[in-house]
């Protein structure tokens, strides 16, 4: 079974192009300079309706805020169980991203576990950001 692949639109294309290069980027509002995941039609921080989001590289490190083990998938191509993590990135307070933890569903994850970005190559030229435990910081 093949996994679903992202279908970039005009707003998300820079993110997916960077991911294909194994580079994690986040949209930054040109008006207030705050990050937004995902970018929307307006900035969730300053309310600008013309945020001019620009995707900028970020460190790719973070800390686990929460996690869940997925035991049933309703999409083809996902082997269950797998672990999803809610990661806070250090570039901005409350800047959070959800991704698969590649260490597996039995990984010794705890609140504040350090993680680093990793990429799953799911099709030629298509990579999805995920995370891996980074060990003691």
């Amino acid at each position: 079974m093949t996994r679903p692949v992202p279908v970039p639109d005009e707003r998300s294309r820079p993110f997916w192009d960077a991911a294909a290069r194994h580079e994690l980027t986040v949209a930054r509002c040109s008006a207030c300079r705050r990050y937004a995941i995902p970018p929307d039609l307006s900035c969730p921080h300053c309310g600008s309706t013309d945020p001019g989001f620009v995707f900028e590289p970020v460190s790719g490190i973070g800390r686990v805020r929460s996690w869940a083990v997925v035991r049933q998938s309703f999409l083809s191509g996902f082997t269950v169980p797998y672990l999803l993590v809610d990661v806070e990135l250090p570039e901005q307070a409350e800047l959070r991203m959800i991704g698969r933890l590649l260490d597996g569903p039995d990984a010794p994850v705890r609140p504040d576990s350090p993680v680093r970005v990793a990429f799953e190559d799911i099709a030629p030229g298509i990579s999805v950001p995920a995370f891996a435990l980074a060990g003691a910081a």
Side-chain angles (χ1 to χ4, degrees):
M1 290 193 273
T2 60
R3 279 182 50 181
V5 296
V7 179
D9 59 13
E10 184 178 322
R11 190 174 310 126
S12 67
R13 187 167 311 286
F15 174 84
W16 293 112
D17 288 349
R21 299 186 305 270
H22 289 197
E23 179 180 13
L24 183 61
T25 60
V26 176
R28 188 173 223 172
C29 175
S30 294
C32 71
R33 305 294 298 150
R34 300 210 46 208
Y35 291 107
I37 298 175
D40 206 342
L41 295 175
S42 62
C43 176
H45 305 290
C46 71
S48 173
T49 56
D50 186 17
F53 285 115
V54 175
F55 283 84
E56 297 182 0
V58 293
S59 66
I61 60 170
R63 298 240 172 225
V64 173
R65 296 279 308 253
S66 182
W67 64 93
V69 176
V70 177
R71 298 192 186 282
Q72 183 175 9
S73 178
F74 297 98
L75 295 172
S76 65
F78 288 93
T79 302
V80 291
Y82 61 91
L83 199 144
L84 289 177
V85 287
D86 175 356
V87 173
E88 184 168 2
L89 304 174
E91 282 78 8
Q92 175 180 294
E94 296 298 319
L95 180 63
R96 294 162 72 175
M97 181 175 198
I98 294 174
R100 208 162 83 108
L101 187 71
L102 300 180
D103 299 86
D106 297 323
V109 66
R110 298 197 179 347
D112 287 327
S113 290
V115 293
R116 61 176 169 68
V117 72
F119 290 87
E120 293 184 272
D121 298 322
I122 61 171
I126 300 174
S127 298
V128 175
F131 293 95
L133 291 172

